[in-house]
Amino acid sequence: NWQVSMLPVKFLAANGSGSLTTAVASIRYAKNAGVRIMSNSWGGGGFTQSLFDAIEEAREAGILFVAAAGNN
């Protein structure tokens, strides 16, 4: 599509490590930038309320949050 813009948002280091804080911040950054779709392929631990809240905020803003499953 010639009408598409992409906003790359990186929060993981070259070795794949990252923090929950920067993951949440990256979701909120993209939301505030006005993205309409987020494509996410990164592993993580179990449930965390702060990550759930950030994803829910994105959903409430009308953003489609796509997440990969089965990386490990």
Side-chain angles (χ1 to χ4, degrees), residues 3-62:
Q3 305 297 320
V4 172
S5 296
M6 295 181 76
L7 174 67
V9 178
K10 179 180 176 180
F11 74 93
L12 297 175
N15 67 0
S17 66
S19 71
L20 176 61
T21 301
T22 56
V24 168
S26 69
I27 293 168
R28 290 186 174 140
Y29 174 84
K31 178 184 73 82
N32 292 335
V35 303
R36 296 173 56 196
I37 301 172
M38 293 182 193
S39 178
N40 303 273
S41 179
W42 34 277
F47 175 84
T48 60
Q49 189 65 48
S50 60
L51 184 57
F52 177 86
D53 292 345
I55 295 168
E56 183 63 14
E57 289 171 19
R59 185 193 67 78
E60 289 173 356

